[in-house]
Amino acid sequence: MTTQRHYSPIDRLLLQADAAMRTLLPFSGQPYRPSPAIVQPDAQMSDEDTRHVAGLMRINHTGEVCAQALYQGQALTAKLPHVRAAMEHAAEEEIDHLVWCEQRIHQLGSHTSILNPLFYGMSFGIGAVAGLISDKVSLGFVAATEHQVCKHLNEHLEQLPAEDEKSRAILEQMRIDEEHHAESALDAGGFRFPAPVKFGMSLLAKVMTKSTYRI
């Protein structure tokens, strides 16, 4: 028989601080799965294509920073233990995506976005507020966010050069995982957000993608 450890509020704040550091500090995250890019061949790309792919992967990396913050914020304020556990498990899976994107960015000779701390703080706050409102809203926000991520991944997959099989393998696995997270959140009782809310989320996502493509 196993017992579940109960953390004090201070313990949880310290855990959140540790998660933030592991998310934002370069090469500090440890993936649970190896990158799908490992088994794919290296490809020669033009300088222009290399810069473009690096920009796309930088956007996806920042998206994963936001996902980490969102889940951590929701886990902090979730009311039901099983919802908190689900958020923490999803955050663990997103670490894989975070590290895969970071590795690929550096393989392309580029850098992650300097705006990541700003977006982490904003996303953490949104997640925490959603969790305070209700677990149903929190889960619904996860589903809506993941659907938005899948839309971006599809757009990026269409823009990748045909020869860049490494980036493609990463984004395709990310899409599979994000779709699963979205459906799991809805199956757990997540609220289906109306179109106007989704439109507002889409506008915020555009701000993130436009700003992090180069910086």
Side-chain angles (χ1 to χ4, degrees):
M1 180 177 179
T2 59
T3 58
Q4 184 177 2
R5 181 177 177 181
H6 295 281
Y7 294 100
S8 70
I10 293 178
D11 288 335
R12 291 198 172 277
L13 286 174
L14 291 174
L15 288 171
Q16 299 302 330
D18 178 67
M21 295 295 287
R22 286 187 287 111
T23 299
L24 295 171
L25 290 178
F27 298 107
S28 57
Q30 294 296 323
Y32 293 84
R33 296 170 293 175
S35 172
I38 292 176
V39 297
Q40 300 300 327
D42 290 315
Q44 293 294 324
M45 295 188 291
S46 67
D47 290 344
E48 181 180 358
D49 282 347
T50 299
R51 285 193 297 269
H52 180 55
V53 173
L56 296 180
M57 297 306 290
R58 183 161 39 251
I59 290 171
N60 290 311
H61 179 267
T62 298
E64 295 306 321
V65 168
C66 293
Q68 281 292 310
L70 179 67
Y71 283 128
Q72 295 295 344
Q74 290 169 316
L76 183 67
T77 57
K79 298 173 178 60
L80 298 176
H82 75 276
V83 174
R84 180 181 297 115
M87 295 298 178
E88 291 171 344
H89 177 67
E92 290 176 356
E93 291 189 345
E94 297 286 358
I95 289 176
D96 288 348
H97 303 168
L98 185 79
V99 176
W100 297 347
C101 288
E102 184 177 18
Q103 290 172 344
R104 186 60 182 145
I105 289 168
H106 285 278
Q107 288 170 359
L108 294 165
S110 193
H111 58 85
T112 56
S113 176
I114 63 174
L115 299 176
N116 283 344
L118 171 64
F119 285 115
Y120 185 96
M122 291 173 57
S123 299
F124 185 91
I126 291 172
V129 169
L132 284 172
I133 295 173
S134 75
D135 287 332
K136 187 173 183 178
V137 168
S138 184
L139 289 166
F141 199 87
V142 168
T145 299
E146 297 292 24
H147 284 145
Q148 186 67 47
V149 170
C150 289
K151 180 181 177 181
H152 286 156
L153 290 172
N154 287 332
E155 293 173 353
H156 290 180
L157 282 165
E158 291 179 358
Q159 297 180 48
L160 287 178
E163 63 269 27
D164 186 6
E165 297 181 40
K166 285 185 175 292
S167 299
R168 186 172 303 278
I170 292 172
L171 298 189
E172 286 178 344
Q173 184 59 53
M174 286 174 59
R175 182 175 60 184
I176 292 172
D177 294 344
E178 307 296 9
E179 288 174 347
H180 175 69
H181 291 163
E183 294 308 314
S184 295
L186 292 176
D187 290 343
F191 178 72
R192 293 182 182 272
F193 285 6
V197 175
K198 292 182 179 180
F199 179 73
M201 293 174 65
S202 178
L203 290 179
L204 289 175
K206 286 183 178 179
V207 172
M208 185 272 285
T209 58
K210 294 293 185 182
S211 59
T212 58
Y213 179 75
R214 288 187 171 84
I215 60 172

